[in-house]
Every structure is written in C-alpha cells, then in structure tokens.
Amino acid sequence: MDELYHKEESFDPETIGKLKGHYAAILCLLGEDVGREGLVKTPERVAKAMSFLTKGYRVDPLSILRSAMFREEYKQMVLVKDIELYSLCEHHMLPFYGKAHVAYIPNGYITGLSKIARIVECYARRLQVQERLTVQIRDCIQEALNPMGVAVVIEASHMCMQMRGVEKQESATTTSAFTGIFLSDHRTREEFMTLISHKYR
C-alpha cells in the first residue's frame, strides 16, 4: 500500500533540524518524555508543520499578481468570495480560520482569479493579526494592479478566544479594508457587501 502513495514536501534541512531541537526542549519543559514511542518523531513533525504554516514568509505576494497581469478594458467589479483561510495568531500562535472576500474594479489590468486566492494564502501563512492581514491583502492588490478600488472583508474565528481566555465558542470577528471607489461611492460598497452576503446554491 505504501508503494502507491508518494508525498513530496520541500523543507530546509538546517531549519528543520534547529526547530526540531527547540520543540524537543519545549516538550521536556512541559514535563513530557520525548523518548517515549508516541513522541519520538513529534519534534520533527511539529517543525515541519510550523514551516508549512508559515511558508508565506518565503513567497513574494506582489510577484504572484504581476506574473498574471492582462490588459483588459473591463471596468466592473471582480469579486472572489468565500476564500478559505487558515492563519496563526501572533500573540499565542494559535490558529484562526475563516473566509476572505476580495473585490477590485480594474483600471486597465486584470489578474488571474486564482492569484487572488494565492495572495490571501500567502499573507495568511504568516504569524498574523486579522486586522493586518486584511490591510495587507488590500494594499498588495492596489499596488500591483492600480485598480479603481479594492475591497477586502475577512470573517474569522479565533482559537485563542475559543480554547483559552474568555472561551467563547461562537464568537467571530469581521474586518474590512477599502480603497478608491469603494471608499468614495457608497453604492459600489453596498453592492460589494450585498454580493458577499448572498449565498449561491
């Protein structure tokens, strides 16, 4: 069965080795025995997991958009909604997760739709706060495409509020960031908000 499954992952061996040592030390400090069967490979697994969860530091988001820019005279809203995102809160390094809704109004150039999702992924795969993440996505699209306006809304749940602290299981946080016509024209902003709240079947 193992011969039928081949998984490829790319990690820097030196970085993983150093992280592995630190996580082994952390487990010891917590009172665990890193030599027991269930934990022998845990420091390396966690090192690789953290490397994956923070892979956004090793990607240039502007280059993602600029690699797929096309001249187009379309001047209506382009919306990519319900983009799943998973990130780590920089305060406790616990996950927060949810959806991003991203729109822009082209000003001579459009980009591949998948690139919008990749921008969200790039910034989410870093230690974050939701407020900064929202602004970074907005600013990256504005800088790369120079559109007439950009709108970003993120709705997320934070494990640091659900697992620890106030332990409020149903809490959710919404953040928004706008530029250009989304700021100056309330009708355009309302159209965006209506579209992201509409559920397609």
Side-chain angles (χ1 to χ4, degrees):
M1 185 67 178
D2 289 341
E3 294 178 358
L4 300 177
Y5 177 74
H6 179 65
K7 182 178 181 181
E8 289 188 5
E9 291 181 317
S10 178
F11 298 106
D12 175 53
E14 182 179 358
T15 300
I16 296 301
K18 291 179 179 179
L19 287 171
K20 176 182 174 181
H22 289 303
Y23 283 117
I26 289 171
L27 288 171
C28 288
L29 288 169
L30 292 175
E32 266 292 359
D33 173 13
V34 294
R36 70 178 177 86
E37 183 180 6
L39 288 180
V40 169
K41 294 185 178 180
T42 295
E44 182 177 0
R45 290 191 186 106
V46 178
K48 289 181 176 179
M50 289 303 297
S51 182
F52 175 81
L53 294 174
T54 58
K55 65 182 181 178
Y57 288 119
R58 302 183 292 279
V59 181
D60 177 10
L62 282 172
S63 68
I64 292 173
L65 290 179
R66 289 171 175 164
S67 70
M69 288 178 58
F70 312 100
R71 179 162 285 283
E72 185 63 54
E73 293 307 313
Y74 184 80
K75 292 188 179 296
Q76 302 301 314
M77 189 184 306
V78 178
L79 168 63
V80 183
K81 59 183 288 187
D82 295 331
I83 304 169
E84 292 182 359
L85 69 85
Y86 302 89
S87 192
L88 292 175
C89 166
E90 68 178 30
H91 299 141
H92 302 98
M93 292 181 67
L94 289 173
F96 68 92
Y97 58 94
K99 293 183 178 180
H101 314 290
V102 182
Y104 71 99
I105 298 180
N107 186 24
Y109 287 94
I110 61 172
T111 188
L113 297 177
S114 67
K115 306 304 180 187
I116 301 296
R118 286 193 63 194
I119 291 301
V120 173
E121 174 82 356
C122 177
Y123 283 115
R125 295 299 189 182
R126 304 178 180 188
L127 299 184
Q128 280 288 8
V129 294
Q130 184 175 330
E131 296 88 339
R132 183 197 308 132
L133 174 60
T134 309
V135 171
Q136 286 177 329
I137 296 167
R138 177 202 67 185
D139 290 350
C140 181
I141 297 171
Q142 185 65 49
E143 182 177 348
L145 300 179
N146 191 31
M148 297 173 64
V150 180
V152 179
V153 167
I154 292 178
E155 304 167 297
S157 297
H158 293 248
M159 298 300 284
C160 60
M161 290 183 64
Q162 296 175 337
M163 291 180 65
R164 61 169 302 284
V166 295
E167 297 184 74
K168 300 302 180 185
Q169 306 303 313
E170 302 300 321
S171 64
T173 301
T174 301
T175 50
S176 62
F178 306 98
T179 66
I181 194 169
F182 288 100
L183 284 174
S184 61
D185 187 341
H186 73 275
R187 291 174 300 179
T188 302
R189 187 167 62 252
E190 287 177 0
E191 179 187 0
F192 167 73
M193 299 303 291
T194 299
L195 287 171
I196 67 174
S197 64
H198 182 71
K199 301 298 180 184
Y200 294 95
R201 293 187 177 181

